[in-house]
Amino acid sequence: MSSWINWSRHLVRGGIAALALAALPAWADICRVTTGGAAGNAGADWRQPTTLASALARSACTEIWVAKGTYTGTGTIAFQITRNLQLYGGFEGNEIASTERATPIDASVTVLDGEDLRQVLVIDGTTGNSATTGSITSATVIEGLTITRGRAFWGGGIQCKAMGSAQPALTQNRTCSPTIRQVRFVANFADFGGALFLDAQTRGNASPTLTDVVFDGNGARTPVAVWTTGGAIYVSVDSNGQTSGT
């Protein structure tokens, strides 16, 4: 019987038009999320917060502020990112400016929980249909979160997808290289990449930047005794793919 191995605990260190435009708040693209948010809300302020799934799906939400609490999903994947955005946890739920967030950021207060049932987060850089779309770059920021109790075959905590195809024109921009900082991966499990799985097969490029990231008690199951399948991180790459990490 296969057993869970590769446990990890590591610290990776002019006029009416002009007036109308002037009246728009600087944070018009910020969406606010709480555990009690409603999918129909835009999340424009803390009094009418939206849900995390809705904010991630709404193209207008380029910056997402997530209040403290535990967030769960449904199905096999709790949450998905398919475009460049900034996802910040650690908010009390009353801030006007992001600088009002308590520092140092406590990643433990905002939790994305797979409930031992599903993958927590898929970051998908393969959704584009041309060489100029579909890329997840370092402009995508994930900060101040705990990713926990994910279960999946690939990447229980986060799966970073950049796998290409046999058509080079559709593959050139398949990239999953987000900025992940001040994030805790706790008690996630998978067959490959318990906490984080980087998929750069077939001309893909999965090269995230990790700063102040903690891996604690994650595990991967080794189906063959001679394989090491990455309790913390597993990298899947062939001769045509690219992957790196800092």
Side-chain angles (χ1 to χ4, degrees):
M1 178 179 291
S2 298
S3 60
W4 292 104
I5 67 168
N6 301 318
W7 296 90
S8 60
R9 184 181 181 91
H10 302 294
L11 179 63
V12 182
R13 301 247 9 129
I16 293 177
L19 287 172
L21 288 172
L24 288 172
W27 54 87
D29 56 350
I30 297 173
C31 296
R32 293 153 183 83
V33 169
T34 69
T35 55
N41 290 344
D45 58 55
W46 290 114
R47 294 169 298 177
Q48 295 184 327
T50 188
T51 66
L52 180 53
S54 294
L56 292 172
R58 191 174 298 144
S59 61
C61 298
T62 58
E63 186 171 323
I64 301 172
W65 295 3
V66 187
K68 63 183 182 180
T70 298
Y71 298 81
T72 60
T74 59
T76 58
I77 302 170
F79 305 106
Q80 296 190 66
I81 293 174
T82 59
R83 58 192 171 85
N84 284 307
L85 54 81
Q86 298 175 340
L87 178 64
Y88 298 115
F91 287 89
E92 288 291 331
N94 55 17
E95 295 86 350
I96 296 174
S98 60
T99 53
E100 296 177 10
R101 192 172 41 157
T103 55
I105 297 168
D106 184 357
S108 69
V109 302
T110 306
V111 179
L112 308 189
D113 187 355
E115 303 178 288
D116 292 330
L117 296 172
R118 58 187 60 88
Q119 197 169 30
V120 179
L121 177 62
V122 171
I123 307 173
D124 193 347
T126 70
T127 60
N129 57 4
S130 75
T132 57
T133 63
S135 178
I136 299 293
T137 71
S138 60
T140 289
V141 177
I142 300 169
E143 177 185 280
L145 301 170
T146 290
I147 310 291
T148 191
R149 295 201 299 165
R151 295 291 187 276
F153 188 79
W154 312 106
I158 292 179
Q159 182 181 4
C160 195
K161 295 174 65 175
M163 186 174 181
S165 74
Q167 302 178 58
L170 300 182
T171 304
Q172 294 171 17
N173 230 37
R174 286 194 170 169
T175 298
C176 185
S177 300
T179 299
I180 302 174
R181 61 191 182 218
Q182 293 168 296
V183 168
R184 299 170 67 243
F185 290 89
V186 180
N188 299 284
F189 295 93
D191 280 32
F192 294 86
L196 176 60
F197 181 85
L198 307 178
D199 186 358
Q201 293 278 339
T202 320
R203 302 186 184 92
N205 182 0
S207 302
T209 298
L210 277 61
T211 305
D212 292 337
V213 172
V214 173
F215 296 92
D216 187 355
N218 302 281
R221 186 170 59 192
T222 300
V224 178
V226 296
W227 291 359
T228 300
T229 56
I233 302 173
Y234 186 86
V235 178
S236 178
V237 62
D238 58 18
S239 60
N240 293 311
Q242 302 176 54
T243 185
S244 64
T246 57

